[in-house]
Amino acid sequence: MENMDHIRKASKRAGFLSIVGFLIIVASLLYSYIQLSGLEKNIEDKKVILNRQKEEIDELKKTIEKFRLDADKIKHRVDELDSTQQSLLDFLVSVTDKNNVSILGPNVDWKEVKRQLNSLPSGKRKNAILNAILLAWKDIPFIMGQEGVKAGFDSPRFLRYVLNTVGLEVKTKRGEPLSVTLMNRFEKVDSPKPGDLVFFKGQVGNFGFILASVGTSDSEHVGIGTLQKIAPLQIISMGSINTPYFPLRGYYRVVYPDEK
């Protein structure tokens, strides 16, 4: 009897352990299912995010391509404008009545002038040089003390007129020559750049030019202006001016309104 009781108790324990083991397995399977379900949802969420990012990348690629095409169009337009500008400059020089006066001095490297002008960024400095060239083309006479397209110019008044066309005003000071006012207004520099002013000492007072291009030496600079009645407005090499007869006073840095 004792053996039978012992066997029954052992059977009960085994059955209980089997049930516990079964429940553990079921719980493990349920836990794994829950975990897998969460993982699958997480994977689906990641897929949605990746698809959204892919769509955004595709849209970004389209935008970049549009910008690239627009940039190509703008570059093409700029190249066309540069070509037109150079053609107009060549036209102005070619149609001048050379039997009367040539606006282009014989020692001027016109190709280099155009290259430097073309390399300048758009702005008032570049516009001032272009305005000076256009005024030189009009064959305006040298008239001492005058300042106007119809009335004529003397040297410093031509420079003031050009600066005024781009919004840079220089007022006359009582008792002071305009050339001196201009030299006092702008900082004297050793290394000029296109659009700056250069002055020379004349037989009476001073005269100056606005630089259209600069070279490696004083004689290679090219300016636009006039110095006397027999030499109306023109584009001239500074090497033709800078002589013991007309000594160099200096170069003066013009700070244009859009450069401040």
Side-chain angles (χ1 to χ4, degrees):
M1 292 294 292
E2 291 180 0
N3 288 336
M4 291 297 293
D5 290 338
H6 181 73
I7 291 172
R8 281 197 296 270
K9 289 179 181 180
S11 297
K12 288 180 179 180
R13 282 197 300 271
F16 177 75
L17 291 174
S18 296
I19 292 172
V20 171
F22 175 76
L23 292 175
I24 291 174
I25 292 172
V26 171
S28 298
L29 291 173
L30 182 61
Y31 177 78
S32 298
Y33 173 76
I34 294 172
Q35 290 294 102
L36 287 173
S37 297
L39 183 60
E40 288 178 353
K41 185 178 184 305
N42 190 34
I43 291 173
E44 289 300 321
D45 291 341
K46 295 294 185 184
K47 285 182 179 179
V48 171
I49 293 173
L50 288 173
N51 288 333
R52 188 181 303 122
Q53 290 178 340
K54 182 178 181 300
E55 291 175 357
E56 291 175 353
I57 291 172
D58 290 339
E59 287 298 319
L60 183 59
K61 286 181 178 179
K62 292 178 182 178
T63 302
I64 292 173
E65 179 63 17
K66 182 178 181 299
F67 284 154
R68 188 188 68 78
L69 293 174
D70 290 343
D72 289 342
K73 290 179 181 178
I74 292 172
K75 182 180 182 303
H76 179 68
R77 181 58 178 158
V78 169
D79 290 341
E80 286 183 338
L81 290 173
D82 288 340
S83 177
T84 301
Q85 174 183 283
Q86 294 199 39
S87 296
L88 285 173
L89 293 174
D90 287 336
F91 173 76
L92 292 178
V93 172
S94 67
V95 299
T96 302
D97 183 2
K98 294 180 174 57
N99 293 323
N100 182 18
V101 58
S102 173
I103 68 169
L104 193 63
N107 298 323
V108 172
D109 185 347
W110 182 235
K111 184 177 180 180
E112 177 61 17
V113 172
K114 290 190 298 178
R115 187 195 68 77
Q116 291 192 31
L117 185 57
N118 189 54
S119 66
L120 285 176
S122 298
K124 295 186 181 296
R125 178 177 293 273
K126 186 173 187 175
N127 289 346
I129 300 172
L130 290 171
N131 292 344
I133 292 174
L134 290 172
L135 288 168
W137 174 71
K138 289 181 67 66
D139 190 20
I140 300 171
F142 177 97
I143 304 293
M144 183 64 72
Q146 295 298 311
E147 184 175 354
V149 175
K150 293 183 178 180
F153 294 103
D154 61 19
S155 176
R157 285 172 175 78
F158 168 71
L159 297 178
R160 180 168 68 174
Y161 186 90
V162 169
L163 295 177
N164 191 56
T165 64
V166 293
L168 186 53
E169 184 180 5
V170 179
K171 294 182 179 180
T172 303
K173 293 185 178 181
R174 177 176 292 184
E176 183 177 76
L178 181 56
S179 59
V180 175
T181 302
L182 287 165
M183 286 188 284
N184 289 337
R185 170 71 179 273
F186 304 112
E187 180 185 0
K188 191 174 184 179
V189 295
D190 294 327
S191 300
K193 58 184 180 181
D196 287 344
L197 304 182
V198 55
F199 280 93
F200 299 89
K201 180 175 175 55
Q203 297 305 298
V204 178
N206 309 287
F207 61 92
F209 298 83
I210 180 171
L211 291 174
S213 67
V214 296
T216 56
S217 65
D218 293 336
S219 62
E220 294 179 357
H221 302 331
V222 173
I224 309 164
T226 182
L227 66 156
Q228 55 189 352
K229 189 173 183 179
I230 61 172
L233 288 173
Q234 59 183 302
I235 305 166
I236 187 170
S237 169
M238 296 297 94
S240 303
I241 307 297
N242 188 14
T243 63
Y245 194 71
F246 294 127
L248 175 68
R249 290 295 303 269
Y251 303 104
Y252 297 84
R253 174 61 40 80
V254 178
V255 179
Y256 288 88
D258 56 354
E259 296 175 343
K260 294 180 180 179

